[in-house]
């Protein structure tokens, strides 16, 4: 108990001592009976933008006969009310120092000193806030040329106070990384592709003034790349046909057309034209000898490419557009085929798949040869046809193939199409819910078949 009282007493004494020291320090100091001066201002850091005006405080009590001196570093600026520096931007406001039209060279420490300094000094720090500036490597506005597959690096060095944040972006679209912006002074692009060409922008900002932006362009050289909108073109004798190749190449490439590997020359009936990146071969008054395999070949100093287009009078493969379910006993099969000439015959192959067994019991193909009506769309050269398949087994999975024929012969076989016949007694309603459930059932049965 006595020990605790002693510790408590000791704490109280120390606390009272600190209070006494604070009171003594807050009051005037004496030397030889004379009251000594003291600073009432506190040292501080002042941030300013170029062109601003700042006032550095130096409030003093009990100055008496002492003189206030301002210095910057070791350079004397003022003594008392006398201005020493010849800089017209610097003046005294009482004991305070005013600096107008701040420059970058004004940053540093400013000292307010009483007399010779033996009575203490007050140091303020002036910090100049600088808007961002950038330097891009290669130089801003330049065009950097690189080959496809190479690695390219851009640097954007920024200066300013506070330190600027540097971000890279692509002027049109996303960066190759898929990002909208990337932070950091270095932007590195690996395995550059032709799509990476364009203008890249470096933006630096630090909250002072306006953000600054620089730009550099990337030019990518690459071997030819060809795409064809249609690898199969249907036409007829006496009609016209147009074959298109879309060519991307830098440097630009030389385009050549071939038929069955033999080079073609332009004639009055075969016209070769260019519109932008689209290179076209137009054949007027198509003859039987014009049918065959065509290719467009492009080569430049970096490489070459070739794509093939078939010109034929035969119909294209049928595209079946019927739903994946049917009435229990019949199915309305509908398809679309591209053919400028009328379809004169259709062959339908269909069979039932026993998907309820653990074994793949597929029925025999039913082979139908029919001549259904057709509806022709002259804009697309498409013909719409349909046929009702009857005598189906309810609650079963079926599949079919279609071949169509015009005066030039049969088309290639269509993709396999499968559908499910509903069970007897189940209402045949084309609701969304039923379509979804039937679709799931068909997928489930197809999965079983594939696993067997």
């Amino acid at each position: 108990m006595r020990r605790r009282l002693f510790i408590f007493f000791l704490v109280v004494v120390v606390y009272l001592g600190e209070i006494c020291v604070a009171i003594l320090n807050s009051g005037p100091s004496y030397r030889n009976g004379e009251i000594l001066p003291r600073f009432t201002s506190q040292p501080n850091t002042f941030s300013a933008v170029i062109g601003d005006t700042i006032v550095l405080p130096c409030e003093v009590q009990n100055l008496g006969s002492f003189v206030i001196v301002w210095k910057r570093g070791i350079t004397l600026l003022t003594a008392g009310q006398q201005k020493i520096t010849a800089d017209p931007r610097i003046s005294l406001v009482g004991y305070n120092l005013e600096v107008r039209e701040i420059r970058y060279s004004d940053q540093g420490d400013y000292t307010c000193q009483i007399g010779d300094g033996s009575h203490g000094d007050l140091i303020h720090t002036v910090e100049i806030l600088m808007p961002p500036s950038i330097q891009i490597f290669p130089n801003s506005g330049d065009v950097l040329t690189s080959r496809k597959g190479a690695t390219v690096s851009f640097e954007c060095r920024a200066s300013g106070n506070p330190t600027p944040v540097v971000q890279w972006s692509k002027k049109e679209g996303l960066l190759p990384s898929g990002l909208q912006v990337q932070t950091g002074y270095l932007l590195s692009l690996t395995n550059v592709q032709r799509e990476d060409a364009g203008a890249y922008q470096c933006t630096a900002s630090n909250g002072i003034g306006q953000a600054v932006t620089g730009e550099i362009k990337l030019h990518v050289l690459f071997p030819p790349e060809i795409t064809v909108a249609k690898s199969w073109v249907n036409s007829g004798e006496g009609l016209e046909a147009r074959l298109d190749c879309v060519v991307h190449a830098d440097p630009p490439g030389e385009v050549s057309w071939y038929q069955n590997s033999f080079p073609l020359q332009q004639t009055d009936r075969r016209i070769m034209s260019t519109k932008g990146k689209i290179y076209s071969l137009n054949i007027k008054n198509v003859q039987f000898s014009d049918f065959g395999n065509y290719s467009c070949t492009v080569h430049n100093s970096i490489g070459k490419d070739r794509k093939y287009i078939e010109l034929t009078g035969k119909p294209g493969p049928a595209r079946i557009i019927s739903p994946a379910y049917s009435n229990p006993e019949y199915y309305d099969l509908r398809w679309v085929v591209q053919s400028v000439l009328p379809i004169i015959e259709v062959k339908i192959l269909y069979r039932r798949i026993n998907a309820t067994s653990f074994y793949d019991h597929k029925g025999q193909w039913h082979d139908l040869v029919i001549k259904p009506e057709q509806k022709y769309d002259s804009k697309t050269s498409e013909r719409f046809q349909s046929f009702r398949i009857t005598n189906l087994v309810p609650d079963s999975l079926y599949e079919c193939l279609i071949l169509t024929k015009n005066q030039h012969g049969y088309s290639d076989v269509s993709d396999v199409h499968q559908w499910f016949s509903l069970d007897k007694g189940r209402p045949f309603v084309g609701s969304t819910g039923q379509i979804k459930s039937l679709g799931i059932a068909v997928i489930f049965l197809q999965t079983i078949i594939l696993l067997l």
Side-chain angles (χ1 to χ4, degrees):
M1 184 67 179
R2 291 180 178 178
R3 179 178 177 83
R4 290 181 179 178
L5 289 174
F6 175 76
I7 293 173
F8 174 76
F9 177 75
L10 184 61
V11 170
V12 170
V13 169
V14 171
Y15 178 69
L16 292 175
E18 290 178 351
I19 293 176
C20 291
V21 170
I23 293 174
L24 291 173
N25 288 338
S26 63
S29 300
Y30 294 87
R31 187 175 66 182
N32 299 326
E34 182 182 5
I35 300 177
L36 298 178
R38 69 181 186 88
F39 293 106
T40 59
S41 300
Q42 298 296 321
N44 205 348
T45 297
F46 294 83
S47 298
V49 178
I50 291 178
D52 282 356
T53 296
I54 60 172
V55 176
L56 306 178
C58 185
E59 300 295 337
V60 180
Q61 285 185 346
N62 309 315
L63 182 61
S65 59
F66 291 95
V67 174
I68 294 294
V69 175
W70 275 101
K71 295 189 297 181
R72 180 177 177 274
I74 61 173
T75 303
L76 190 63
L77 301 178
T78 66
Q81 294 300 313
Q82 184 66 37
K83 179 180 170 183
I84 306 302
T85 178
D87 192 335
R89 300 175 303 116
I90 295 178
S91 61
L92 284 170
V93 181
Y95 297 144
N96 304 325
L97 185 71
E98 181 182 81
V99 184
R100 299 180 301 276
E101 299 176 8
I102 284 288
R103 302 170 183 169
Y104 183 76
S105 59
D106 293 329
Q107 67 180 349
D109 291 337
Y110 290 76
T111 302
C112 177
Q113 179 178 298
I114 300 176
D116 59 2
S118 59
H119 298 290
D121 52 25
L122 176 68
I123 301 176
H124 294 303
T125 300
V126 174
E127 177 186 66
I128 305 301
L129 301 178
M130 294 287 293
S133 61
I134 59 174
Q135 186 173 8
I136 296 180
F137 303 95
N139 294 328
S140 181
D142 283 357
V143 176
L144 178 63
T145 300
S146 176
R147 282 199 174 196
K148 176 183 176 181
T151 296
V152 175
S153 295
F154 304 136
E155 287 189 29
C156 182
R157 299 289 184 176
S159 58
N161 188 27
T163 302
V165 175
V166 177
Q167 291 184 319
W168 283 98
S169 62
K170 194 175 181 187
K171 193 171 184 179
E172 295 180 357
L174 301 176
L175 293 169
S177 62
L179 299 175
Q180 189 75 41
V181 294
Q182 179 177 316
T183 301
Y185 77 93
L186 180 65
L187 178 65
S188 184
L189 310 180
T190 59
N191 190 26
V192 295
Q193 302 297 308
R194 65 178 177 87
E195 296 83 4
D196 299 332
Y200 290 81
Q201 294 182 324
C202 163
T203 301
S205 60
N206 63 356
I208 307 299
Q210 298 294 321
V212 292
T213 299
E215 181 176 292
I216 186 167
K217 293 182 179 179
L218 175 62
H219 181 198
V220 179
L221 301 177
F222 56 93
E225 298 175 12
I226 305 174
T227 58
V228 292
K230 297 171 64 176
S231 60
W232 177 91
V233 175
N234 176 254
S235 188
E237 293 177 70
L239 302 177
E240 291 189 8
R242 174 176 163 177
L243 285 61
D244 291 332
C245 281
V246 181
V247 177
H248 297 273
D250 198 346
E254 182 179 340
V255 179
S256 302
W257 286 95
Y258 293 82
Q259 181 188 9
N260 300 323
S261 300
F262 293 98
L264 295 177
Q265 301 297 326
Q266 180 160 296
T267 65
D268 292 339
R269 202 170 58 82
R270 282 198 302 257
I271 301 173
M272 302 173 188
S273 60
T274 305
K275 184 177 181 181
K277 298 183 181 298
I278 302 176
Y279 289 76
S280 302
L281 174 62
N282 294 274
I283 304 174
K284 297 181 178 181
N285 188 24
V286 171
Q287 300 174 7
F288 184 81
S289 59
D290 293 323
F291 295 130
N293 195 25
Y294 289 77
S295 64
C296 56
T297 301
V298 185
H299 70 271
N300 63 9
S301 58
I302 302 177
K304 63 180 180 180
D305 193 15
R306 181 193 296 264
K307 285 293 184 294
Y308 296 90
I309 303 174
E310 182 183 0
L311 176 62
T312 180
K314 297 178 182 180
R319 178 168 54 89
I320 301 174
I321 58 175
S322 296
Y325 59 93
S326 76
N327 187 282
E329 297 178 348
Y330 64 85
Y331 183 48
D332 289 324
L333 183 62
R334 302 193 306 272
W335 65 92
V336 180
V337 60
Q338 189 173 35
S339 176
V340 296
L341 299 177
I343 300 299
I344 58 177
E345 185 175 281
V346 177
K347 181 177 288 190
I348 299 176
L349 300 170
Y350 76 97
R351 66 179 173 179
R352 175 174 174 250
I353 301 174
N354 186 359
T356 60
S357 171
F358 288 104
Y359 301 97
D360 186 10
H361 291 307
K362 294 186 176 181
Q364 295 296 319
W365 286 106
H366 297 272
D367 190 349
L368 303 177
V369 178
I370 59 175
K371 297 180 180 181
E373 294 182 355
Q374 52 198 279
K375 182 180 178 181
Y376 182 60
D377 185 342
S378 59
K379 293 182 179 179
T380 61
S381 301
E382 290 181 327
R383 296 181 182 272
F384 297 81
Q385 295 181 291
S386 64
F387 179 76
R388 174 169 289 187
I389 301 176
T390 58
N391 300 320
L392 300 181
V393 176
D395 198 23
S396 299
L397 181 65
Y398 283 86
E399 64 182 3
C400 71
L401 301 167
I402 296 178
L403 296 93
T404 60
K405 179 183 179 182
N406 63 15
Q407 69 182 51
H408 288 285
Y410 271 106
S411 68
D412 290 337
V413 67
S414 69
D415 291 335
V416 175
H417 175 73
Q418 293 185 334
W419 78 92
F420 189 75
S421 62
L422 293 176
D423 195 5
K424 272 189 175 182
R426 182 181 299 175
F428 184 69
V429 180
S431 65
T432 303
Q434 188 177 23
I435 291 174
K436 182 177 180 181
S437 62
L438 287 170
I440 294 172
V442 170
I443 293 172
F444 176 72
L445 292 171
Q446 289 174 342
T447 304
I448 294 175
I449 293 170
L450 291 173
L451 292 174
L452 295 176

